[in-house]
């Protein structure tokens, strides 16, 4: 998802200022960001309601994928913190919920801002308080757990990160939210990282499979489709020797999907269709909705080209 810059939907002179701040923020130009905030502090403070609110044009994007839209909101949070340091505290108070104390999203934004500054204990305290509110919305609680998982992973506490990621996945599944695929992916990534760190048999297999799949992808990216397929079939033969419950089987969807793509570019539509269908089947087994959408679209494209 392409995340728009802050200011793209703001009219007048403030729009370009906000966009410049957003670009500087995402580029890591901290000095430029601070200089812009200082130069335009008064007008940013006066029009804070404009850039602290979600534009009408983006509300559906926020509803469908709040996680992907985080960069948009993080820029606003950083502007508010800089303005506070320049003697304009109103935006930060508003963002932190001083003007809307019952708004849980404001508290989530505050936790994000603390985590971005490396204040993980303070961020986690706010997030755990959200879990203690007794909220019934599984999707919201899943989002809070995913934030706690991210913070724990940044602290290199994989056990805690996995605990929260597993809970986020369970809740996303129960609520039927679109985030279930991403939740499953994050959980898999964390479990893989822990197994590799422990140097277990599963960990060594996961590491080897991941490297083999990366190599095959690199060959495909260079249009060496036959060589990529050879590497993929070697990996497939290797996976066939693993126990049925081996976590390495989670690579099957991507493996089959890449075989389908390679055969597509080689002009073999029947093989491309067969491997893409296998990739789609693996995604359905794992509840990977995003993967399902990708491979369903690929199948339509194969049929269209015939």
């Amino acid at each position: 998802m392409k995340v728009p810059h802050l200011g793209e939907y703001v009219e007048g002179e403030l729009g370009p200022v906000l966009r410049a701040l957003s670009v500087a923020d995402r580029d890591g130009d901290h000095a430029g960001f601070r200089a812009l905030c200082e130069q335009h502090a008064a007008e940013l403070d006066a029009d804070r309601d404009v850039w602290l609110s979600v534009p009408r044009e983006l509300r559906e994007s926020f509803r469908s994928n709040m996680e992907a839209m985080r960069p948009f909101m993080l820029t606003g949070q950083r502007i508010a913190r800089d303005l506070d340091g320049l003697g304009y505290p109103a935006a930060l108070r508003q963002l932190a919920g001083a003007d809307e104390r019952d708004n849980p999203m404001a508290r989530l934004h505050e936790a994000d801002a603390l985590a971005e500054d490396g204040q993980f204990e303070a961020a986690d305290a706010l997030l755990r308080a959200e879990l203690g509110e007794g909220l019934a919305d599984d999707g919201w609680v899943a989002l809070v757990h995913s934030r706690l998982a991210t913070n724990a992973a940044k602290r290199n506490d994989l056990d805690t990160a996995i605990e929260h990621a597993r809970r986020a996945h369970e809740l996303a599944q129960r609520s039927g939210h679109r985030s279930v695929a991403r939740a499953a992916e994050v959980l898999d990534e964390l479990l893989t990282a822990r197994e590799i760190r422990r140097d277990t048999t599963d960990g060594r297999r996961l590491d080897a499979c991941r490297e083999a799949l990366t190599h095959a992808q690199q060959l495909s990216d260079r249009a060496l489709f036959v060589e990529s397929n050879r590497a993929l079939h070697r990996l497939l033969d290797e996976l066939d020797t693993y126990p049925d419950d081996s976590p390495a089987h989670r690579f099957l969807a991507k493996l089959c999907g890449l075989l389908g793509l390679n055969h597509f570019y080689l002009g073999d539509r029947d093989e491309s269709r067969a491997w893409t269908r296998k990739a789609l089947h693996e995604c359905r087994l794992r509840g990977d909705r995003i993967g399902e959408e990708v491979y369903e679209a690929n199948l339509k494209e194969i049929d269209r080209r015939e």
Side-chain angles (χ1 to χ4, degrees):
M1 176 184 290
K2 184 179 183 299
V3 181
H5 285 287
L6 197 70
E8 286 191 14
Y9 296 96
V10 176
E11 297 179 355
E13 296 180 2
L14 188 63
V17 173
L18 290 166
R19 181 176 173 80
L21 280 162
S22 182
V23 171
D25 183 31
R26 295 189 198 178
D27 287 347
D29 181 6
H30 304 303
F33 185 88
R34 285 193 295 272
L36 283 167
C37 281
E38 186 171 0
Q39 180 182 353
H40 300 282
E43 58 199 281
L44 287 167
D45 178 65
D47 292 327
R48 59 185 178 276
D49 286 340
V50 173
W51 52 271
L52 284 176
S53 62
V54 177
R56 175 178 51 79
E57 296 88 344
L58 297 181
R59 286 172 190 167
E60 181 56 38
S61 297
F62 272 84
R63 280 194 292 267
S64 63
N65 199 338
M66 173 67 75
E67 190 65 25
M69 296 297 289
R70 282 185 74 193
F72 184 93
M73 298 304 296
L74 286 173
T75 297
Q77 293 165 15
R78 291 181 180 121
I79 293 172
R81 292 203 302 275
D82 270 32
L83 289 179
D84 182 59
L86 292 167
Y88 296 90
L92 187 61
R93 285 203 302 265
Q94 184 173 330
L95 191 61
D99 297 332
E100 41 182 343
R101 298 182 187 278
D102 295 326
N103 185 350
M105 189 57 69
R107 295 194 292 272
L108 187 65
H109 290 330
E110 184 179 1
D112 283 346
L114 290 167
E116 284 292 318
D117 285 343
Q119 300 180 51
F120 296 115
E121 288 188 11
D124 286 358
L126 280 176
L127 293 169
R128 285 193 295 270
E130 285 299 302
L131 295 178
E133 292 291 331
L135 299 174
D137 187 334
D138 286 344
W140 173 258
V141 180
L143 181 61
V144 174
H145 276 291
S146 71
R147 291 290 206 279
L148 286 164
T150 298
N151 291 351
K154 287 180 179 177
R155 297 195 309 272
N156 213 23
D157 183 355
L158 292 182
D159 288 338
T160 299
I162 287 168
E163 178 184 339
H164 286 295
R166 182 173 282 119
R167 185 61 178 149
H169 182 233
E170 291 170 353
L171 289 163
Q173 278 186 313
R174 192 165 74 188
S175 66
H177 196 271
R178 273 186 67 87
S179 64
V180 66
R182 178 56 186 159
E185 183 181 345
V186 169
L187 179 57
D188 278 342
E189 289 171 355
L190 290 168
L191 289 168
T192 297
R194 186 170 69 178
E195 289 299 324
I196 291 172
R197 177 184 292 178
R198 290 176 174 176
D199 197 29
T200 62
T201 299
D202 278 339
R204 288 188 292 273
R205 285 171 173 168
L206 283 165
D207 200 21
C209 288
R210 188 167 61 178
E211 287 186 10
L213 192 55
T214 298
H215 175 62
Q217 181 68 65
Q218 290 169 343
L219 290 171
S220 181
D221 292 342
R222 292 161 52 197
L224 298 173
F225 304 118
V226 173
E227 292 84 348
S228 177
N229 282 347
R230 289 194 190 113
L232 290 166
H233 279 289
R234 286 195 297 270
L235 177 55
L236 191 60
D237 290 340
E238 181 70 18
L239 285 171
D240 283 341
T241 68
Y242 293 172
D244 290 341
D245 61 351
S246 171
H249 288 298
R250 76 180 183 86
F251 293 113
L252 273 171
K254 187 171 182 181
L255 189 159
C256 293
L258 186 52
L259 278 166
L261 184 65
N262 288 342
H263 281 293
F264 178 81
Y265 286 122
L266 289 169
D268 190 340
R269 299 291 189 265
D270 289 339
E271 280 293 296
S272 179
R273 185 180 294 106
W275 284 110
T276 304
R277 283 175 176 164
K278 289 180 180 179
L280 178 58
H281 174 69
E282 289 297 325
C283 288
R284 285 173 174 164
L285 287 177
R286 289 173 46 78
D288 182 352
R289 296 181 185 178
I290 295 176
E292 285 184 46
E293 292 176 2
V294 169
Y295 295 123
E296 284 171 352
N298 287 358
L299 284 171
K300 289 179 181 177
E301 181 65 15
I302 294 167
D303 292 339
R304 189 182 70 81
R305 293 295 184 95
E306 285 193 333

